[in-house]
Amino acid sequence: MITGNKKDIEKFMPYVSERLGMALKYIAETDFTKVENGEYHLDGDKVFVRVDRYTTEPKDNKKPESHNAYIDVQYLGEGTEKIYYAAKSEQHKVIEDYAADRDLLFYADAGEKDSVTLGGGVYAIFFPWELHRPGCHAVHGGCPVQKVVVKVLAE
């Protein structure tokens, strides 16, 4: 997992691939107050964006997940949420497998000890070898968020 702030993306650009750079540039340059929910393709199925609004939930209501084919660059246009994460290992058991259709696997409790809080310009990048549990409360009682996930094909 890599994390940073939107205002510092330009400093990070020399160290990333072209596709990941495209995702980060989109986050750096986009005014999300003007972006509706939906899916937007930046480079066909190689780099695309999903924007959604929801209210965060308690950690126990969310499942750890991973993706085989895509890197997730996650950012909030508004609100605050906590994402728990851990390195994926053989001990983590898949409980729902949607890999063939949606590149999504859900896991039993992963026992994550680390987390990142999104909001205030913070983004996080999750790779296929990592579990992440997004959409969790960062503040008591939760809050509404505008979630931006840029999917980057990891090939």
Side-chain angles (χ1 to χ4, degrees), residues 11-125:
K11 296 175 190 173
F12 191 50
M13 295 297 280
Y15 307 102
V16 300
S17 70
E18 182 179 340
R19 287 186 198 143
L20 192 52
M22 184 182 298
L24 292 167
K25 185 176 179 182
Y26 175 80
I27 288 171
E29 295 178 352
T30 302
D31 176 358
F32 290 103
T33 64
K34 298 177 180 170
V35 179
E36 298 294 323
N37 288 353
E39 187 168 292
Y40 306 91
H41 291 260
L42 305 179
D43 184 13
D45 288 338
K46 294 178 182 174
V47 182
F48 62 95
V49 184
R50 291 184 178 142
V51 179
D52 194 18
R53 293 181 182 275
Y54 58 82
T55 300
T56 60
E57 297 182 37
K59 179 183 179 188
D60 291 342
N61 290 6
K62 306 298 287 184
K63 297 175 203 156
E65 64 184 60
S66 75
H67 315 285
N68 293 330
Y70 286 89
I71 298 165
D72 272 6
V73 181
Q74 300 201 15
Y75 180 78
L76 294 182
E78 65 181 55
T80 306
E81 96 174 23
K82 188 172 279 198
I83 301 176
Y84 294 87
Y85 64 93
K88 187 168 36 173
S89 73
E90 291 180 12
Q91 75 185 31
H92 295 117
K93 301 299 177 207
V94 174
I95 58 172
E96 295 176 49
D97 185 342
Y98 305 102
D101 298 328
R102 299 172 29 208
D103 189 39
L104 178 62
L105 299 135
F106 287 114
Y107 294 79
D109 187 17
E112 311 96 311
K113 297 192 180 0
D114 296 311
S115 66
V116 60
T117 301
L118 298 187
V122 174
Y123 65 88
I125 304 170

